[in-house]
């Protein structure tokens, strides 16, 4: 029987990063992946492929809508969806191949099969042919991730009524894509197919899209996407989803209780994700799983079995790849006797639409609910020379700072390259920067980052210079 210091179950961003850090720290490490490729949801059917399609569709949209104003004359571009999907798969294959390289480089043993606990120190690996191999492990890290959620009355047929997984490999551009759920995944995939020519209708139960983010971001993104042609039906509760041949009928009740009908050729069910523990046999190891399906952990991500830890989507907190990575590193370093920490308030959230949406820290709504006195400064991208030069003038940066101390409490932005710009805000907040600290830093001109400086100036006695 093979024996390891640490065995990681699941090879998504949390799992493979945990395995690499464990190996770097001298642990004999194994990783178990149920599929034949590493990388989990993020690399195979999530973050990476969706960004590939967002990028391809963005290029197409620019060619159709914006090239002429830049003095670039081309004949009418055509969508080759098969090539877009093929390119997406090529990006996925390169990325997952890179993970295999990292496993080999760090001398991590890879097992393919479903990992399930025999007991707290033994893991059974059930392979595709039904055979079972058992390994011994001093410690284990559960990193089994999540799967798309649905509603009890919806039958996902993976053909016309689909999840994000199927939306990443369609063979045709929908005529009318009906999306149930106005969260990050639904909005991103909605913009992909909107750009390619689909009519897109988004049905959201709550009163706004991206409801977990600051209300100002939701309002601005709604405005911009409406301008692009996306239709929104907020405060609508889906009651029925029914397929009839090549058509899907969706019925939803609006705020007045009236039934509104939608008919499309595809329906994307995007109502969140659920922790995935199928086959884990957690009970054999004394690992408690909550009623919500999450593995219960303490502040050190330790489960109810002292030698078993859990990270990422399968535990509490935001379901974000970078959150899982940080947790994987934390567990590895904790096992090595170090004293790592994670400030969950400083894990940024991003929506990879265009304009991009990004945020870190507290929202305005959260500060008001907590009774925290704060000041706010905003600056629109349309006032920046760099934004006008590139033709990307939608959106703004908003900085929330403590009314007394001026410490930055939250940064919320929507606009060009915000997914990258948010890192400056995370850095500043990690070091307890004030709004004035950011305002007095020199930002290169002309850049999109100047919007952050100007928002900080606006938050300190309304000192913005360029508006």
């Amino acid at each position: 029987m093979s024996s390891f210091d640490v065995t990681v179950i699941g090879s998504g961003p949390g799992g493979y990063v945990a395995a690499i850090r464990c190996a770097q720290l001298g642990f004999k490490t194994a990783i178990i992946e149920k599929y034949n490729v590493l990388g989990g949801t993020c690399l195979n059917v999530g973050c990476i492929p969706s960004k590939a399609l967002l990028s391809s569709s963005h290029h197409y949209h620019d060619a159709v809508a914006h090239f002429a104003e830049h003095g670039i004359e081309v004949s009418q571009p055509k969508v080759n969806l098969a090539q877009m999907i093929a390119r997406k798969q090529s990006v996925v294959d390169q990325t997952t191949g890179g993970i295999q390289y990292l496993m080999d480089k760090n001398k991590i043993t890879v097992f393919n099969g479903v990992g399930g606990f025999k007991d707290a120190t033994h893991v059974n690996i059930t392979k595709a042919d039904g055979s079972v191999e058992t390994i011994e492990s001093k410690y284990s890290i559960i990193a089994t991730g999540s799967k798309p959620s649905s509603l009890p009355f919806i039958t996902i047929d993976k053909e016309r009524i689909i999840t994000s997984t199927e939306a990443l490999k369609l063979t045709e551009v929908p005529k009318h894509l009906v999306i149930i759920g106005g969260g990050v995944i639904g909005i991103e995939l909605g913009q992909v197919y909107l750009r390619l020519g689909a009519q897109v209708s988004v049905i959201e139960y709550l009163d706004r899209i991206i409801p977990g983010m600051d209300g100002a971001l939701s309002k601005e993104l709604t405005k911009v996407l409406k301008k692009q042609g996306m239709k929104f039906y907020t405060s609508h509760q889906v009651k029925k989803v029914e397929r009839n041949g090549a058509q899907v009928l969706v019925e939803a009740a609006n705020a007045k209780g009236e039934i509104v009908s939608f008919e499309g050729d595809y329906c994307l069910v995007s109502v969140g994700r659920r922790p995935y523990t199928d086959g884990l046999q957690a009970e054999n190891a004394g690992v408690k799983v909550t009623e919500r399906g999450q593995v219960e952990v303490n502040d050190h991500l330790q489960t109810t079995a002292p030698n078993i830890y859990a990270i990422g989507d399968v535990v509490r907190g935001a379901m974000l790849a970078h959150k899982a990575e940080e947790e994987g590193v934390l567990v590895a370093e904790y096992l090595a006797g170090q004293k790592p920490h994670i400030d969950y308030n400083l894990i940024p959230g991003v929506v990879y639409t265009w304009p991009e949406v990004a945020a870190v820290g507290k929202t305005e709504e959260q500060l008001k609910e907590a009774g925290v006195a704060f000041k706010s400064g905003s600056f629109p991208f349309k006032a920046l020379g760099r934004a006008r030069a590139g033709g990307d003038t939608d959106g703004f940066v908003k900085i929330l700072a403590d009314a007394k101390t001026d410490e930055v409490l939250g940064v919320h932005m929507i606009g060009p390259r915000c997914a990258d710009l948010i890192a400056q805000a995370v850095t500043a907040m990690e070091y307890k920067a004030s709004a004035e600290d950011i305002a007095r830093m020199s930002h290169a001109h002309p850049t999109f980052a100047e919007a952050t400086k100007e928002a900080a100036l606006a938050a300190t006695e309304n000192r913005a210079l360029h508006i």
Side-chain angles (χ1 to χ4, degrees):
M1 182 185 297
S2 298
S3 182
F4 298 91
D5 296 321
V6 181
T7 296
V8 182
I9 305 176
S11 72
Y16 82 71
V17 166
I20 290 171
R21 189 68 184 117
C22 284
Q24 287 177 341
L25 291 166
F27 293 108
K28 183 182 179 184
T29 306
I31 192 165
I32 303 170
E33 171 53 54
K34 66 179 290 190
Y35 297 113
N36 290 325
V37 290
L38 302 176
T41 291
C42 178
L43 273 64
N44 289 281
V45 290
C47 325
I48 300 303
S50 63
K51 273 45 173 191
L53 288 183
L54 279 161
S55 181
S56 294
S57 63
H58 192 169
H59 287 315
Y60 171 75
H61 178 71
D62 273 351
V64 170
H66 300 303
F67 273 14
E69 67 191 64
H70 286 276
I72 305 169
E73 297 180 2
V74 295
S75 57
Q76 185 64 30
K78 294 189 296 184
V79 174
N80 183 339
L81 185 60
Q83 173 57 26
M84 282 191 184
I85 299 296
R87 177 188 175 275
K88 177 265 303 182
Q89 191 57 46
S90 173
V91 171
V92 168
D93 292 344
Q94 291 174 38
T95 309
T96 56
I99 304 306
Q100 182 63 58
Y101 163 78
L102 291 172
M103 298 300 101
D104 296 340
K105 175 188 173 185
N106 288 283
K107 298 179 174 56
I108 297 163
T109 303
V110 177
F111 293 95
N112 292 108
V114 177
F117 290 104
K118 181 179 180 180
D119 55 42
T121 56
H122 295 85
V123 182
N124 291 329
I125 304 162
T126 304
K127 302 181 180 180
D129 62 5
S131 63
V132 179
E133 180 177 359
T134 302
I135 61 174
E136 185 178 31
S137 191
K138 183 178 180 181
Y139 299 105
S140 291
I141 301 173
I142 300 167
T144 46
S146 62
K147 292 288 184 183
S149 295
S150 185
L151 297 173
F153 54 87
I154 297 179
T155 300
I156 305 288
D157 63 19
K158 299 186 178 183
E159 294 175 352
R160 295 286 172 176
I161 304 173
I162 60 176
T163 69
S164 56
T165 301
E166 294 76 45
L168 292 166
K169 54 184 179 182
L170 293 182
T171 57
E172 63 179 355
V173 176
K175 296 179 182 67
H176 183 194
L177 176 62
V178 180
I179 300 175
I180 300 174
V184 176
I185 297 170
I187 296 299
E188 288 183 357
L189 290 172
Q191 191 177 48
V192 167
Y193 289 106
L194 179 74
R195 290 167 173 164
L196 300 183
Q199 177 186 342
V200 177
S201 300
V202 178
I203 306 169
E204 168 57 46
Y205 176 71
L206 297 176
D207 61 357
R208 59 189 178 95
I209 62 170
I210 53 169
M213 303 188 88
D214 191 274
L217 298 182
S218 173
K219 184 177 179 181
E220 180 73 5
L221 184 61
T222 300
K223 183 183 81 174
V224 173
L225 293 179
K226 277 185 176 179
K227 189 168 62 176
Q228 294 177 8
M230 197 175 290
K231 297 181 180 178
F232 296 98
Y233 301 86
T234 53
S235 299
H236 279 60
Q237 182 178 11
V238 173
K239 296 290 188 181
K240 183 168 107 175
V241 178
E242 187 175 270
R243 178 178 174 181
N244 184 14
Q247 296 297 307
V248 181
L249 175 68
V250 179
E251 291 185 352
N254 64 19
K256 298 177 182 177
E258 302 163 337
I259 296 297
V260 182
S261 296
F262 305 83
E263 190 170 310
D265 50 342
Y266 289 89
C267 175
L268 169 60
V269 181
S270 183
V271 293
R273 299 180 64 84
R274 61 174 180 82
Y276 183 76
T277 55
D278 295 12
L280 187 62
Q281 297 179 303
E283 65 281 359
N284 292 347
V287 172
K288 183 179 178 181
V289 178
T290 70
E291 291 180 1
R292 297 183 61 189
Q294 294 173 333
V295 175
E296 188 174 290
V297 291
N298 63 16
D299 290 343
H300 299 298
L301 300 170
Q302 186 178 37
T303 72
T304 47
N307 67 317
I308 299 174
Y309 295 74
I311 63 173
D313 289 5
V314 81
V315 302
R316 62 177 181 254
M319 290 185 173
L320 297 169
H322 45 287
K323 177 254 198 187
E325 290 184 5
E326 296 302 324
E327 290 180 332
V329 170
L330 181 142
V331 170
E333 293 180 351
Y334 184 73
L335 292 177
Q338 299 181 14
K339 298 185 184 299
H341 82 283
I342 297 174
D343 185 342
Y344 285 95
N345 183 53
L346 297 186
I347 293 179
V350 179
V351 187
Y352 292 89
T353 49
W354 196 267
E356 292 177 334
V357 184
V360 65
K362 301 300 183 187
T363 66
E364 197 165 315
E365 292 81 4
Q366 288 171 331
L367 293 176
K368 287 176 179 176
E369 185 177 346
V372 176
F374 67 94
K375 51 189 179 177
S376 175
S378 293
F379 190 82
F381 278 100
K382 66 183 178 183
L384 281 187
R386 178 68 180 86
R388 286 195 298 274
D392 291 306
T393 55
D394 288 321
F396 59 84
V397 175
K398 178 169 78 169
I399 292 181
L400 306 175
D402 187 280
K404 294 180 180 178
T405 67
D406 197 38
E407 180 182 345
V408 177
L409 303 176
V411 179
H412 308 276
M413 51 179 71
I414 174 170
R417 302 297 171 202
C418 284
D420 301 303
L421 295 178
I422 198 64
Q424 178 190 11
V426 177
T427 303
M429 292 176 67
E430 179 68 42
Y431 288 95
K432 306 293 185 185
S434 66
E436 181 152 355
D437 287 333
I438 297 174
R440 291 191 178 277
M441 289 167 52
S442 178
H443 289 62
H445 173 77
T447 59
F448 296 125
E450 288 176 285
T452 305
K453 176 185 176 78
E454 293 277 359
L457 283 165
T460 54
E461 301 175 6
N462 200 23
R463 290 158 48 202
L465 297 169
H466 288 89
I467 194 170

